[in-house]
Amino acid sequence: MSTSRVLSAMIPDSKLAREVTQLIRDTESELLFSHSTRVYLWGALLGKQQGLAFDPELLYVAAMFHDIGLTSKYRESQLRFEVDGANAARDFLRSHNLSEDDVDKVWTAVALHTTPGIPEHMHGEIALVQAGAGMDVAGRGFEDFTDEQRDAVIAAYPRDPDFAAKMIDAFYHGMKHRPGSTFGTFNDDFLAYKDPSFERVNLCSIILNSSWKR
């Protein structure tokens, strides 16, 4: 079977998956929708390659929701955009009567997808959303995929020629109204890159100027 046919077969063909596909397609830009689908495919390919246990349907839902917090729907939110996405995924899954264990896996996968050093030690769905996002945005793990796999994924869900700049813009516009939510993450890099007046919070200064006197 060709790699392209294998990719098509990898995307879950369930009522839940079809509904989440339509929801995200109706909510996100083509840039984010295609990115989210590629995140699933990179993650699923890597999971199969490494022999990780994961539920394809849960991985798909998590991948599709992972950046919804960057959309205009959340322009008034002061939460981390990852938490907005995790909460949206949780509401969606609960409305479909999934178990709380499955809901928790997806919530955590979305909430931690920008947190390095932790997801890779957790359930497969959680580890693979982060791995897929890292591959698609920054090329992390690029050499873990064959040329045929990379070409097939991009052919099925094309990567915008100006993807890097547009993705940075998407992050910036999704977080510029809630700069405090980027503290302690690398998300403040997007604000600093796009806004020269942005001032990062320094944890050492917070500690040294806290209410503790000794």
Side-chain angles (χ1 to χ4, degrees):
M1 184 181 292
S2 69
T3 303
S4 59
R5 289 181 65 187
V6 170
L7 291 180
S8 297
M10 286 173 59
I11 294 180
D13 185 22
S14 65
K15 182 175 184 292
L16 182 73
R18 290 192 294 272
E19 287 188 14
V20 74
T21 299
Q22 192 60 55
L23 187 156
I24 299 303
R25 188 179 286 281
D26 290 344
T27 306
E28 292 187 347
S29 64
E30 185 61 32
L31 179 85
L32 289 181
F33 174 81
S34 294
H35 160 64
S36 296
T37 309
R38 292 194 304 270
V39 166
Y40 166 75
L41 291 170
W42 300 130
L45 285 168
L46 193 62
K48 290 180 180 294
Q49 178 181 312
Q50 295 183 350
L52 295 180
F54 68 96
D55 182 318
E57 191 173 57
L58 295 183
L59 177 61
Y60 185 71
V61 171
M64 297 310 286
F65 271 101
H66 86 283
D67 275 347
I68 197 172
L70 294 174
T71 64
S72 59
K73 180 178 180 179
Y74 299 96
R75 287 296 187 264
E76 301 300 319
S77 175
Q78 293 302 303
L79 298 175
R80 282 180 57 166
F81 86 88
E82 306 94 327
V83 173
D84 282 327
N87 289 344
R90 179 174 60 195
D91 292 344
F92 175 82
L93 292 176
R94 283 179 173 170
S95 74
H96 288 75
N97 300 312
L98 269 73
S99 73
E100 283 302 305
D101 283 347
D102 287 345
V103 171
D104 287 345
K105 281 183 186 178
V106 172
W107 191 96
T108 305
V110 177
L112 292 184
H113 82 269
T114 62
T115 301
I118 295 176
E120 57 263 40
H121 303 289
M122 303 180 75
H123 290 291
E125 296 86 357
I126 301 168
L128 294 173
V129 170
Q130 189 208 37
M135 166 60 178
D136 203 60
V137 173
R140 183 161 48 85
F142 188 87
E143 300 303 328
D144 293 332
F145 301 89
T146 66
D147 290 341
E148 185 181 18
Q149 287 173 328
R150 290 193 297 265
D151 290 345
V153 170
I154 297 304
Y157 295 93
R159 184 183 174 89
D160 190 290
D162 200 22
F163 175 81
K166 290 182 178 179
M167 198 65 197
I168 290 172
D169 283 345
F171 279 117
Y172 173 68
H173 289 295
M175 293 184 286
K176 65 180 182 178
H177 63 285
R178 44 179 159 185
S181 72
T182 68
F183 173 62
T185 76
F186 55 62
N187 290 330
D188 60 355
D189 288 343
F190 298 108
L191 302 189
Y193 181 80
K194 296 291 292 185
D195 181 3
S197 67
F198 174 72
E199 295 185 5
R200 299 177 190 265
V201 176
N202 185 300
L203 180 58
C204 293
S205 296
I206 292 175
I207 294 171
L208 292 170
N209 293 287
S210 76
S211 298
W212 292 103
K213 303 303 180 185
R214 62 183 185 281

